[in-house]
Amino acid sequence: MSRRIAVIDFETNGASPGRDCRATEIGVALLEDGRIVGRYQSLINAGVWIPPMIERLTGISNVMLRDAPPPAVAMAEAARFVGDTPLAAHNASFDRKFWDYELAQLGLARKQDFACTLLLSRRVLPQAPDHKLGTLARWLSLPDTGRAHRALADAEMAAQLLCHLQGELSRRYGARLADHSQLCGMQKVSAAKISQYLQAQAG
DNA sequence: TGCCAGGCCCTCTTTAGGGCCTT
């Protein structure tokens, strides 16, 4: 069983990957036994235009990307850095489609599943004010990771959140930290059935 | 022609619609 999880975050110039919508930055935080043991970050110049709204949100400008490495370099490095480590992200359906799209441009395909801290936090922390990554980080007093909406800062924040969720699950349901496959399983069952699911896994 | 995300979740649901969340 792998105890390591690669928590990733993309900054992009839009919501859905395609010819005019690409990743503009990737951040990866490698999580192991509740600690971040490795980091990767790179801006990505895919030759796309960043609209002003996205520039204000992320702080990543068209000028900043001018000298950034192309996707073929940055994504190949990121894919090597992650290897076959299981993946996680906040609202993983978003990052998964960009990860898959950018890898496909290199002729590569994802082999591992994504755990999702958004789906897990909705189940484990239903009492949170909302389930935005920034809100959860403030509400849980997670350690500051830097400027929000930059890829590595958000990847580290999601990694801290995942640690918190694993700790909460351990506290509630047993001493053993939930591994990646259990996290993926839990995000598919209702909150009421998490205990039942974990008991079945243990059995 | 005109428009343009999409997966997940909840409920006033399931022959659907709207909100959340990511950039």
Side-chain angles (χ1 to χ4, degrees):
Chain A
M1 175 186 83
S2 170
R3 302 181 69 87
R4 189 172 277 210
I5 297 175
V7 185
I8 73 164
D9 184 74
F10 279 110
E11 303 309 315
T12 74
N13 69 330
S16 200
R19 191 171 57 87
D20 299 320
C21 180
R22 300 290 296 271
T24 56
E25 188 177 47
I26 181 168
V28 185
L30 285 183
L31 192 60
E32 188 171 306
D33 296 330
R35 286 187 311 119
I36 293 172
V37 297
R39 293 171 176 82
Y40 176 84
Q41 180 176 34
S42 180
L43 290 167
I44 303 171
N45 181 4
V48 290
W49 177 72
I50 300 178
M53 187 274 285
I54 301 288
E55 188 171 322
R56 282 192 297 274
L57 177 70
T58 65
I60 297 171
S61 66
N62 291 290
V63 172
M64 285 168 68
L65 293 189
R66 214 175 276 160
D67 298 321
V73 173
M75 283 305 301
E77 279 181 359
R80 274 196 299 275
F81 184 77
V82 168
D84 57 3
T85 305
L87 289 159
H90 195 71
N91 196 15
S93 65
F94 178 87
D95 294 280
R96 182 176 57 222
K97 65 189 177 183
F98 277 94
W99 179 262
D100 288 352
Y101 181 88
E102 294 296 349
L103 285 194
Q105 305 309 301
L106 309 181
L108 301 174
R110 173 172 55 88
K111 297 184 181 68
Q112 61 273 62
D113 282 337
F114 267 88
C116 177
T117 53
L118 170 62
L119 297 182
L120 288 166
S121 65
R122 281 177 176 160
R123 285 160 174 74
V124 178
L125 305 169
Q127 71 277 29
D130 63 52
H131 296 87
K132 294 182 179 77
L133 181 58
T135 302
L136 290 169
R138 282 189 297 278
W139 186 64
L140 296 168
S141 302
L142 299 179
D144 180 49
T145 58
R147 190 201 190 284
H149 297 296
R150 287 300 298 267
L152 183 58
D154 278 5
E156 288 192 46
M157 198 182 292
Q160 304 279 8
L161 173 59
L162 185 56
C163 284
H164 180 91
L165 292 169
Q166 285 180 307
E168 197 62 28
L169 287 162
S170 297
R171 190 181 64 75
R172 290 185 202 176
Y173 303 113
R176 195 161 143 257
L177 275 185
D179 68 22
H180 185 268
S181 66
Q182 287 176 320
L183 295 170
C184 289
M186 268 183 275
Q187 67 198 27
K188 292 174 187 159
V189 303
S190 70
K193 290 188 173 170
I194 285 183
S195 173
Q196 201 177 328
Y197 171 83
L198 285 170
Q199 281 171 9
Q201 291 285 303

